[in-house]
């Protein structure tokens, strides 16, 4: 397929490679060959590699924010995106410009064509393999000093696992993508633990389920690495929109006893923030940064992290809360958040999810905190679950009078505004794809 150097053509080429999840091929051979052809850009910066089921994106965002505040040229590679693939590749907090995205995608495309012609690739690399190669190429060319890279799916066979990182980080593990990673928490933890490498420090969320904890500890020791379990920060206050203020302990000598307000909402962020702060402190110490400067970077980084679509609060009338929770643990975290902000304000939820997600688990978590449910579907997403099927499930938790079906999120938002009083709350949840469409409909920039 020919590719001209413009953004729209680059995006069309990318999407023509197939759906990011359903067309995924796990394995490192293709991405390794592609990176070799591009001159191994992944070896021109210091990577930090982050896996997990819940919280890995937030942890990446916290880490990148701290490094940026410390004055390092900081790359960030995450997935999925909300509105545009440029969101996934960031340098110093700024998304890759569309022109640069087109340019780097052209480089990757041309390398793929050469490899195919020479018979060095068995098949065209996937959507995620192309993007991974593009991200590392762009960030290396822009002289990124550190790159925080989020695993796409799993860990062991994920395209990002070509990295030789300064640290491996694993956030909380839960049940998700079982068709790819295995039927039990132990199987899933084993795949995530595949990012642990001999001699590379590994930092693990201390709030792991016991089953995952055992597997992670065993995997670290098998690589002759002492696992470093990182406990959450202590919460000293939760503001009206659910942002926690946390206290620094003896792990942070220059900050001990001090308090800072996290910019991301929910008590669960105290674990992700602590993980990021401990990892960033170790890396900055390794670079010889003064303790006082490390402390300042940690506080400023945690207070200014931006991670849209995850408990994102919009001060509209009524307010809108957007959260991409799409697995049981994420839905429970959302339910706890709704409980924590208190006040029995009338709540309307707009909900859609994918066919491969446990819709009953997601809806049951919301049942006690939501008065009215608007069911919809995600446009241009063949994996979206039909709203008729969602209604059958929802009837187990809401009365028929509390459930409405509408065809898309724009209509759902309009209906929610009609039904929710100004002092109420509109919640949009169930899928990252739905959140992207809602942000677009609300004209909120990412």
């Amino acid at each position: 397929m020919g590719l001209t150097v413009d953004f729209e053509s680059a995006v069309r080429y990318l999407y023509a490679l197939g759906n990011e999840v359903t067309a995924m091929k796990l394995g490192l051979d293709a991405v390794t060959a592609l990176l070799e052809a591009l001159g191994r850009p992944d070896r021109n910066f210091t990577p930090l590699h982050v896996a997990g089921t819940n919280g890995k994106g937030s942890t990446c965002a916290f880490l990148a924010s701290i490094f940026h505040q410390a004055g390092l040229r900081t790359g960030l590679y995450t997935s999925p995106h909300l509105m545009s693939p440029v969101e996934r590749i960031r340098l110093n907090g700024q998304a890759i410009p569309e022109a640069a995205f087109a340019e780097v995608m052209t480089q990757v495309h041309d390398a793929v064509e050469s490899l195919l012609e020479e018979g060095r690739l068995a098949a065209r690399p996937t959507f995620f393999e192309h993007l991974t190669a593009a991200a590392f190429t762009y960030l290396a060319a822009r002289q990124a000093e550190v790159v925080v890279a989020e695993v796409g799916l799993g860990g062991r066979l994920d395209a990002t696992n070509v990295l030789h990182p300064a640290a491996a980080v694993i956030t909380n593990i839960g049940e998700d993508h079982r068709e790819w990673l295995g039927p039990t928490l132990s199987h899933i933890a084993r795949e995530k633990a595949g990012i642990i490498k001999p001699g590379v420090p590994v930092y693990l969320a201390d709030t792991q389920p016991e089953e995952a904890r055992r597997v992670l500890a065993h995997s670290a020791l098998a690589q002759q690495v002492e696992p470093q379990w990182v406990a959450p920060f202590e919460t000293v206050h939760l503001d009206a929109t659910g942002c926690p203020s946390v206290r620094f302990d003896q792990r942070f000598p220059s900050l001990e006893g001090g308090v800072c307000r996290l910019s991301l909402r929910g008590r669960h962020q105290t674990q992700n923030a602590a993980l990021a702060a401990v990892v960033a402190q170790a890396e900055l110490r390794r670079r010889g940064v003064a303790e006082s400067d490390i402390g300042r970077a940690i506080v400023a980084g945690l207070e200014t992290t931006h991670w849209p679509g995850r408990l994102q609060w919009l001060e509209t009338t009524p307010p809108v809360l957007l959260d991409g929770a799409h697995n049981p643990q994420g839905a429970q975290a959302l339910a706890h958040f709704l409980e924590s902000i208190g006040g029995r304000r009338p709540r309307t939820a707009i909900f859609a999810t994918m066919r491969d997600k446990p819709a009953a688990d997601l809806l049951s978590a919301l049942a006690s905190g939501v008065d009215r449910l608007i069911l919809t579907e995600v446009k241009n997403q063949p994996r979206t679950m039909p709203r008729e099927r969602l209604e059958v499930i929802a009837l187990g938790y809401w009365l028929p009078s509390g459930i409405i079906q509408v065809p898309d999120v724009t209509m759902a938002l309009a209906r929610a505004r009609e039904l929710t009083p100004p002092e109420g709350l509109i919640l949009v949840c169930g899928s990252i794809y739905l959140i992207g469409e809602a942000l677009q409909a609300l004209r909120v920039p990412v």
Side-chain angles (χ1 to χ4, degrees), residues 11-261:
V11 171
R12 271 198 306 276
Y13 169 72
L14 195 55
Y15 283 116
L17 296 167
N19 180 277
E20 182 173 4
V21 176
T22 56
M24 178 171 283
K25 296 186 196 83
L26 292 175
L28 303 181
D29 291 349
V31 74
T32 301
L34 184 48
L35 288 166
E36 291 283 359
L38 291 162
R40 289 311 300 234
D42 52 306
R43 295 190 179 160
N44 290 335
F45 47 71
T46 300
L48 292 100
H49 202 193
V50 183
T53 304
N54 293 295
K56 66 183 190 293
S58 300
T59 302
C60 286
F62 278 131
L63 265 172
S65 183
I66 295 169
F67 287 135
H68 180 46
Q69 291 292 342
L72 296 177
R73 281 181 71 77
T74 304
L76 177 62
Y77 177 49
T78 58
S79 61
H81 59 268
L82 293 167
M83 290 195 258
S84 166
V86 300
E87 298 160 31
R88 299 177 181 227
I89 305 169
R90 294 181 176 269
L91 182 65
N92 291 338
Q94 299 300 309
I96 179 173
E98 290 185 353
F101 183 86
E103 188 182 319
V104 76
M105 278 301 300
T106 302
Q107 276 179 264
V108 172
H109 166 270
D110 291 348
V112 166
E113 292 303 318
S114 297
L115 289 167
L116 287 168
E117 277 172 34
E118 294 161 18
R120 289 161 60 201
L121 276 179
R124 191 174 294 277
T126 63
F127 178 108
F128 190 69
E129 287 167 338
H130 275 76
L131 264 183
T132 300
F136 297 164
T137 301
Y138 172 75
L139 294 170
R142 297 307 187 279
Q143 285 90 47
E145 294 169 88
V146 293
V147 171
V148 180
E150 179 187 7
V151 166
L153 192 152
R156 182 174 66 92
L157 297 173
D158 185 77
T160 60
N161 206 27
V162 293
L163 293 170
H164 292 277
V169 184
I170 302 179
T171 65
N172 279 321
I173 291 173
E175 292 183 11
D176 203 12
H177 298 298
R178 283 184 290 186
E179 69 280 24
W180 294 96
L181 305 179
T184 69
L185 212 52
S186 293
H187 286 92
I188 293 166
R190 217 166 284 127
E191 290 299 317
K192 308 278 184 190
I195 71 164
I196 301 172
K197 296 182 172 70
V200 174
V202 58
Y203 299 85
L204 306 166
D206 197 40
T207 46
Q208 296 289 350
E210 192 52 41
E211 193 181 340
R213 192 182 182 92
R214 282 195 301 272
V215 172
L216 294 174
H218 177 78
S219 300
L221 293 174
Q223 298 287 5
Q224 298 183 305
V225 180
E226 183 66 41
Q228 300 183 53
W229 297 96
V230 178
F233 283 122
E234 175 200 349
T235 306
V236 293
H237 174 67
L238 211 61
D239 75 12
T241 71
C243 284
S245 290
V246 299
R247 179 173 284 116
F248 292 100
D249 51 42
Q250 71 281 359
R251 293 175 293 182
F252 306 94
S254 68
L255 297 171
E256 190 171 355
V259 172
C260 92
R261 177 183 175 274

Side-chain angles (χ1 to χ4, degrees), residues 338 343-349 366-374 397-399 401-404 419-421 424-425 427:
L338 291 172
R344 202 57 193 93
R345 54 169 90 203
R347 292 171 181 159
T348 303
L366 294 175
S368 62
V370 166
D371 306 292
R372 188 178 285 104
L373 185 66
I374 301 178
Y397 308 101
W398 283 269
L399 293 170
S401 58
I403 303 171
I404 299 164
L419 297 167
T420 312
L425 178 69
L427 169 66

Side-chain angles (χ1 to χ4, degrees), residues 361-436:
D361 291 343
L362 306 186
L363 288 168
S364 66
L366 294 175
S368 62
V370 166
D371 306 292
R372 188 178 285 104
L373 185 66
I374 301 178
L375 299 171
T376 189
E377 293 170 15
V378 180
K379 278 184 186 169
N380 306 317
Q381 181 47 261
R383 289 166 54 231
T384 193
M385 192 176 284
R387 55 190 189 277
E388 294 79 13
R389 192 167 139 202
L390 286 175
E391 181 161 12
V392 172
I393 299 166
L395 284 167
Y397 308 101
W398 283 269
L399 293 170
S401 58
I403 303 171
I404 299 164
Q405 284 189 39
V406 298
D408 61 55
V409 75
T410 303
M411 290 176 70
L413 285 163
R415 195 86 178 89
R417 283 195 198 97
E418 288 169 16
L419 297 167
T420 312
E423 72 279 9
L425 178 69
I426 297 170
L427 169 66
V428 186
C429 61
S431 167
I432 283 287
Y433 301 109
L434 177 71
I435 301 305

Side-chain angles (χ1 to χ4, degrees), residues 318-368:
V320 175
L321 177 68
L322 304 112
D323 191 56
H326 59 270
N327 59 43
Q329 292 76 19
Q332 283 300 330
L334 173 56
H336 292 320
F337 175 79
L338 291 172
E339 226 174 90
S340 74
I341 58 173
R344 202 57 193 93
R345 54 169 90 203
R347 292 171 181 159
T348 303
I350 297 169
F351 183 88
T353 195
M354 300 296 108
R355 292 173 195 266
D356 57 340
K357 300 299 175 188
D361 291 343
L362 306 186
L363 288 168
S364 66
L366 294 175
S368 62

